[in-house]
Amino acid sequence: MLLTEAARLAEIDLDIPCGGQGRCGRCAVIVADGEGVRCRSTVRLSAEDLTAGYVLACQTVVEGDAVVIIPPQEKIERRLVTDKTAGEIALPFTYDPQQHQPMRLMSLTIDPPTMHDQTDDWSRLKRSMATTFDVLDLVADLDTLRSLASTLRQADWTVTAVVETDTWDRPEGPPRLVDLLPGGQMQHLWGVAVDIGTTTVSVYLVDLLTGEVVAKAAEYNGQIRRGEDVISRIIYASKNDGLAELESLVVATINEVIQRAARRAKVDPGEIYKMTVAGNSTMIHLLLGLAADSIRLDPFVTTINHPPPVRASQLDIAIHPQASVDCLPGVASYVGADISAGVLGSQMCDSEATSLFLDVGTNGETVLGDCDWMISCACSAGPAFEGAGVRDGMRATVGAIEEVWINSQTYEPTYRVIPDLRLEARGQPTPPRGICGSGLISLLAETFITGLIDKAGNLNFDAGSPRIRQGEHGPEYVVAWEGETEHGRDIVFSKVDIDNLIRAKAAIYAGFTVLALSVGTDLSTVDQVLIGGSFGQHINIEKAIQIGLLPDMPWEKFRFMGNTALQGALLALLNRGVRRQVAEVARRMTYLELSSDNTFFDAFTAALFLPHTDLTSFPSVAEVLASREDEP
Ligand code: FES
């Protein structure tokens, strides 16, 4: 049995950030005592670690009793941009629930049965709906019927029906009775829009009668501990009962954020009657308990791109059990509902301007187009920009270096750390623990622009800086000395990290290039670059251009859109027309599979330099480099 499985059986929650592939080295534990403990791989462990008795829990087989010491697990501190009280959210339409909303509250006073009228309760309710609201047909699930008789009698035949008039897969109805409430004057009708990010789950709690977002909440996706990126999670899901575990972890997170938002707004979650969900294809599969293996295996197909709505009770989502949970449609394995919702949320699909929409992350999903056409791709950039696969990389949480400046004369760095608010309140600086994605972009740009690395990412030992040295895994630049850091060891930026980042940025830039080429144009015709995703908000445009991650354009062409997937889920929650539109967007978006595209390989190879082999495409960077050469 693997040590990770033994830990789970002992109900010990061990971090498994790469899903147990032996890639990340962060499941390391110390075997203090134990016969028959075999570690199959130690690739991520240093000689020092091995001497200290460390093994990788995910690669270690235990065949008998063992004493294992688990070091403190990485803390996940909050830095969630969506986790705030509700503010004004501007809708791109004037909300009219009668016109836009398929959910209705219908107050009724029904004639009770008599010996002369022994019509059954359900027919009596339907008759009343027909005469009062002109609703000529009505369906209900068995669970709703079970409480029908008692509700009607306890309410003395004055009730409010919660009715869903249509869904995208049943545009003609018939209407569905979702709940029957005693009394006649309901003031609110609640719904939730949910974005399941690989890292963060965010929700908006909305009054469907007014369109007002009354509360927001966000929390780290509970699946993170079983894999930080989608591939790690797919691998984890394919083992033993991993799929069921990941499903219950994300459901628990969703329930927690809904509860938190509901508590803030003083709403009973059981009165939430509708939910829309955006998320990448893997997240949607894991929510629905669908096997996700085929997403990662050639020819990379999903089980379903556009799942039908399901009842909340089928997924154990703790809102009203009969509420419909509507997962928005995706386009392909790596262009999921988060991107179709994002295109909608950013309003790119309504604009005549040629837009480049991108979500900088593991999969670098990109869409090029306007209101008439759209083409998309995903370029597997890897998780480097999320801090994974980088020696001192970490998520954007407390203690992460998020911005770096390097003095071009002394090569000494200055950095900004995401603060621990408790330390900040006491006027104390937060010691760094690692470097997050925005810090890595910044560091790559600064080392390049100051000449500490060349265009191929080689460290310049001739610079004479004591911070450049030969490390355990090759050349490295010391960003923070051990005395400055929280863990008491140097934080470094190594040649291996640099190569990983250059490959990641090259994949994303190559994706832009190939999309443009496929429609016979080039990036100069792009009118605006829309940056979605939570990571996007932290990117420094100047530095992202300097490393060749973003095209060299005037800064005013770039727009940070925030969590476009959540905005898209909100619009789809509030407007049945928009809900149909998102299906249409997903249906007509052309998907370009880059792994079978030769031009992608050429574009990728050309982008494997800083900023690019073709410096004429990056005039502003050429100018900065020229001015550096002129410096005394
Ligand atoms: S190396 Fe074990 S979980 Fe990553």
Side-chain angles (χ1 to χ4, degrees):
M1 175 186 294
L2 283 174
L3 201 42
T4 39
E5 287 163 30
R8 189 155 55 86
L9 290 178
E11 297 187 354
I12 293 167
D13 202 9
L14 202 60
D15 284 356
I16 310 172
C18 71
Q21 299 174 74
R23 272 197 301 113
C24 69
R26 283 156 58 196
C27 62
V29 296
I30 300 168
V31 177
D33 190 14
E35 305 264 309
V37 175
R38 272 183 302 111
C39 186
R40 298 188 300 214
S41 166
T42 56
V43 278
R44 302 294 301 184
L45 297 174
S46 67
E48 257 173 36
D49 294 336
L50 292 171
T51 314
Y54 277 97
V55 296
L56 297 180
C58 73
Q59 300 297 314
T60 299
V61 179
V62 275
E63 286 167 351
D65 290 344
V67 178
V68 175
I69 299 170
I70 299 174
Q73 302 280 282
E74 187 182 332
K75 281 182 278 175
I76 298 178
E77 309 272 356
R78 288 219 194 111
R79 194 214 194 196
L80 298 168
V81 286
T82 322
D83 200 353
K84 296 174 188 162
T85 49
E88 190 81 2
I89 293 178
L91 297 176
F93 51 86
T94 306
Y95 186 57
D96 174 2
Q98 290 299 321
Q99 181 196 342
H100 296 134
Q101 191 46 252
M103 297 299 298
R104 294 265 189 284
L105 286 177
M106 297 175 174
S107 298
L108 299 159
T109 297
I110 301 167
D111 293 333
T114 63
M115 288 305 287
H116 302 292
D117 178 7
Q118 293 179 318
T119 307
D120 62 279
D121 290 349
W122 175 243
S123 303
R124 192 172 293 278
L125 173 71
K126 290 208 300 182
R127 190 171 67 196
S128 184
M129 295 278 279
T131 50
T132 316
F133 294 104
D134 215 18
V135 173
L136 300 180
D137 199 3
L138 192 66
V139 294
D141 290 354
L142 180 59
D143 278 349
T144 310
L145 292 177
R146 282 189 173 130
S147 56
L148 182 67
S150 57
T151 306
L152 286 171
R153 284 165 184 79
Q154 280 163 18
D156 202 17
W157 302 91
T158 296
V159 288
T160 300
V162 181
V163 175
E164 183 178 56
T165 55
D166 59 75
T167 54
W168 68 263
D169 62 335
R170 289 188 306 109
E172 307 300 331
R176 178 171 72 95
L177 179 69
V178 181
D179 197 9
L180 197 65
L181 302 164
Q185 294 302 319
M186 308 308 295
Q187 303 296 323
H188 301 286
L189 183 59
W190 304 109
V192 274
V194 179
D195 170 43
I196 308 176
T198 311
T199 306
T200 309
V201 174
S202 311
V203 305
Y204 285 159
L205 175 62
V206 186
D207 185 342
L208 300 177
L209 295 184
T210 61
E212 185 193 356
V213 175
V214 295
K216 307 172 187 177
E219 187 49 82
Y220 282 108
N221 186 333
Q223 297 174 336
I224 279 185
R225 306 191 79 178
R226 303 292 175 262
E228 287 190 346
D229 54 81
V230 291
I231 298 298
S232 300
R233 293 210 200 144
I234 293 172
I235 289 170
Y236 188 84
S238 66
K239 295 177 196 160
N240 303 324
D241 54 357
L243 177 59
E245 186 188 351
L246 291 182
E247 182 185 353
S248 69
L249 283 170
V250 75
V251 167
T253 308
I254 292 170
N255 287 341
E256 187 185 332
V257 276
I258 289 176
Q259 247 177 37
R260 194 185 305 155
R263 222 175 12 249
R264 281 183 190 149
K266 298 186 174 49
V267 169
D268 174 358
E271 292 175 4
I272 297 172
Y273 287 105
K274 190 178 170 194
M275 172 166 157
T276 48
V277 187
N280 64 50
S281 302
T282 302
M283 291 304 107
I284 297 293
H285 275 55
L286 297 180
L287 170 69
L288 298 176
L290 300 172
D293 310 42
S294 59
I295 289 178
R296 142 183 120 85
L297 301 172
D298 187 347
F300 315 112
V301 294
T302 60
T303 298
I304 185 166
N305 282 336
H306 197 173
V310 294
R311 308 280 184 264
S313 58
Q314 290 176 277
L315 299 178
D316 289 333
I317 302 285
I319 55 177
H320 191 279
Q322 296 303 313
S324 72
V325 175
D326 182 9
C327 295
L328 302 185
V331 179
S333 277
Y334 294 104
V335 176
D338 52 342
I339 301 305
S340 33
V343 162
L344 197 83
S346 68
Q347 293 167 52
M348 165 182 181
C349 52
D350 298 322
S351 170
E352 288 185 358
T354 303
S355 307
L356 185 68
F357 171 87
L358 67 132
D359 189 336
V360 180
T362 312
N363 299 312
E365 298 100 330
T366 306
V367 184
L368 179 67
D370 60 23
C371 53
D372 291 326
W373 60 275
M374 267 181 268
I375 183 160
S376 64
C377 71
C379 32
S380 63
F385 287 125
E386 286 156 12
V390 172
R391 202 198 109 155
D392 282 311
M394 64 179 284
R395 283 190 293 269
T397 62
V398 170
I401 294 176
E402 59 173 349
E403 181 90 72
V404 182
W405 300 267
I406 295 177
N407 184 305
S408 59
Q409 307 296 320
T410 63
Y411 303 117
E412 285 299 297
T414 312
Y415 49 77
R416 188 176 64 224
V417 176
I418 298 176
D420 179 329
L421 298 180
R422 283 160 303 192
L423 291 178
E424 199 173 50
R426 295 201 294 267
Q428 294 169 358
T430 303
R433 289 198 285 137
I435 315 163
C436 66
S438 60
L440 290 166
I441 290 174
S442 172
L443 195 48
L444 189 60
E446 286 288 295
T447 47
F448 173 56
I449 293 297
T450 55
L452 276 174
I453 60 173
D454 66 14
K455 62 183 182 178
N458 297 307
L459 281 124
N460 176 9
F461 280 83
D462 294 339
S465 166
R467 290 179 178 268
I468 294 192
R469 67 186 185 192
Q470 197 65 33
E472 195 180 339
H473 300 288
E476 61 190 24
Y477 172 76
V478 181
V479 185
W481 298 110
E482 58 182 24
E484 303 163 40
T485 65
E486 188 199 77
H487 40 55
R489 58 175 178 77
D490 296 344
I491 291 176
V492 301
F493 189 43
S494 73
K495 173 74 169 91
V496 178
D497 301 338
I498 292 168
D499 289 347
N500 277 340
L501 287 165
I502 290 179
R503 272 196 297 276
K505 75 92 190 171
I508 292 173
Y509 191 83
F512 306 157
T513 313
V514 173
L515 282 188
L517 282 175
S518 71
V519 290
T521 182
D522 62 55
L523 293 173
S524 63
T525 60
V526 170
D527 297 312
Q528 55 177 354
V529 180
L530 309 175
I531 302 176
S534 47
F535 174 53
Q537 299 173 73
H538 302 288
I539 293 179
N540 178 318
I541 295 288
E542 180 187 20
K543 292 183 175 174
I545 291 173
Q546 286 174 346
I547 65 168
L549 168 64
L550 294 178
D552 197 353
M553 294 179 181
W555 295 356
E556 59 272 17
K557 285 195 175 188
F558 292 90
R559 287 174 58 201
F560 293 108
M561 307 305 295
N563 188 343
T564 45
L566 184 59
Q567 288 157 18
L570 172 68
L571 299 184
L573 177 73
L574 286 175
N575 190 323
R576 49 148 74 102
V578 170
R579 176 63 186 85
R580 280 194 285 275
Q581 195 186 2
V582 72
E584 184 59 20
V585 163
R587 196 187 59 75
R588 70 188 172 91
M589 196 187 292
T590 307
Y591 175 66
L592 205 61
E593 174 57 56
L594 296 181
S595 64
S596 58
D597 192 305
N598 288 336
T599 49
F600 176 73
F601 185 72
D602 295 340
F604 174 67
T605 311
L608 280 174
F609 286 89
L610 295 170
H612 195 272
T613 43
D614 176 16
L615 197 54
T616 59
S617 309
F618 288 84
S620 76
V621 188
E623 211 174 293
V624 173
L625 293 174
S627 67
R628 191 192 74 193
E629 275 161 22
D630 292 342
E631 279 176 16

